[in-house]
Structures are given as structure tokens and as C-alpha cells.
Amino acid sequence: VLWDRAYPGNIKDRAPEEWRRVPWTQMRYYNYRFGAKEDGEVWLSVIPIRTRVPGAPPTAIERDDAVLQNVNRWYNQFRMPEITELGELQQESMLKVTGYVVEAEGTYHAGMGSEPREDSKMLAVAIPYSTIIVTVKMVGSPAEVEAQRDNFLGYCQSLAFFNQAPAKEEDRDPKPEKE
């Protein structure tokens, strides 16, 4: 099956048996559904960290700013106030670096033409690694997200690189193949 290829090619995952893998998209390298109606979603994305000096590794400030931008975008999807410090978030070891755990509950405004989803919960992580941020996001009903909390955190902590290099440039924006 052509859609079952994993991107980026150097991150491997181990999803819980309760999650059903679905085709990846341009921004969702790993994509799953869960829950009684399979309307809960989990996806992994990789985002390059933009730097002021092209080609230079990001500074600690640039890395933290990139994580904060993602976290605050997620909070905005739930119409929550932005944060200014990463220290306000729960921190967990993931990919051998510090990952930041983000939670929100309420009406989810995914954007891009999607209708708002009332009574939703998000559990997400942002993991800054070298020149990229690996993000994993779970959205569904509060009860189903809470029931999957341990699976979600275990999944995030199980992520590993096939090698120590961050995602290759050509893997950051892959073109989906047709089925």
C-alpha cells in the first residue's frame, strides 16, 4: 500500500493496538484514529525551526520561540490565553530531549474550513530536536482522550530516530503518493 510509507524516514513509532492507522497527509506523517466512533485523532508532524541566519543551527531562544508559537497556536484553537514561558508546561523526556506537554479542553476550532467541535479535549507534545520540532497531537472527546492519556504519553516516549540525524531537508515537506 503506497500511503503506508512512514515520513520522515528517520523517525519510527509504536502505536497502541487501539489506534487505527489511516493514510498520512502532507503535514501528518503518522496519522491515527481512536475511540468508539473512531472520531478521535492522533497525528505526528515535523516542523523546521526557522532561524535568523539561514543554514545556521537554531539558538536556544529561537528553539523556545518556535515551541511557544506552536503551543500558542494550539491554545488559540481552543480560544485559550497564550503563555509566555515554557516553564508553565509539564515536561517529559522524549527523543532524548525535553518535550513539552500541552492540554486544552472546550470547543476545538481546527481551522482550514473545519466546523468547530464542541466538547473536545486536546493532549499534545512539542519536542524540539536539533533543527526541527516533532509535534504529536491528540484530539477527541474529553472522556476518550483521558482514557488514552497513558497510551498517548507512552507513544510519545517511544518515538525514536533510526539514526541520530534530524529529519532530512527533503523529508520535511514530502509529497503524498497516490493510492
Side-chain angles (χ1 to χ4, degrees):
V1 177
L2 293 177
W3 60 261
D4 202 26
R5 184 180 296 173
Y7 287 99
N10 63 344
I11 293 180
K12 63 181 175 178
D13 77 336
R14 283 193 322 253
E17 289 182 21
E18 299 95 329
W19 298 0
R20 183 177 63 86
R21 190 168 184 173
V22 296
W24 63 279
T25 67
Q26 186 173 4
M27 295 301 293
R28 295 180 177 192
Y29 300 125
Y30 291 113
N31 205 7
Y32 299 94
R33 297 287 181 272
F34 71 93
K37 297 178 187 174
E38 288 199 353
D39 56 351
E41 301 177 87
V42 178
W43 65 92
L44 179 145
S45 298
V46 176
I47 305 161
I49 298 174
R50 292 184 182 12
T51 60
R52 285 184 220 125
V53 179
T59 65
I61 292 171
E62 289 170 329
R63 195 170 23 259
D64 288 354
D65 284 349
V67 172
L68 275 171
Q69 287 173 10
N70 278 283
V71 169
N72 286 326
R73 180 175 47 81
W74 295 338
Y75 279 156
N76 184 264
Q77 291 174 325
F78 283 84
R79 305 304 189 248
M80 292 177 60
E82 293 185 355
I83 63 168
T84 58
E85 299 287 331
L86 292 177
E88 298 177 44
L89 301 172
Q90 176 185 337
Q91 299 175 23
E92 296 283 341
S93 179
M94 299 170 185
L95 290 171
K96 300 181 183 178
V97 296
T98 300
Y100 299 91
V101 181
V102 182
E103 295 187 56
E105 191 168 336
T107 300
Y108 176 56
H109 302 265
M112 301 178 76
S114 298
E115 290 293 319
R117 289 172 36 185
E118 294 181 3
D119 195 32
S120 295
K121 183 171 179 132
M122 175 195 68
L123 188 57
V125 298
I127 311 165
Y129 186 93
S130 184
T131 60
I132 61 173
I133 300 174
V134 176
T135 66
V136 185
K137 192 170 174 182
M138 171 184 271
V139 177
S141 74
E144 289 182 330
V145 168
E146 201 53 46
Q148 289 293 319
R149 174 183 290 279
D150 290 343
N151 280 341
F152 177 82
L153 293 172
Y155 173 79
C156 295
Q157 291 167 338
S158 76
L159 296 172
F161 286 106
F162 281 91
N163 57 44
Q164 293 303 310
K168 299 178 198 113
E169 185 67 32
E170 62 269 17
D171 287 339
R172 291 185 184 153
D173 192 22
K175 304 296 183 236
E177 296 181 36
K178 296 181 180 173
E179 291 185 30

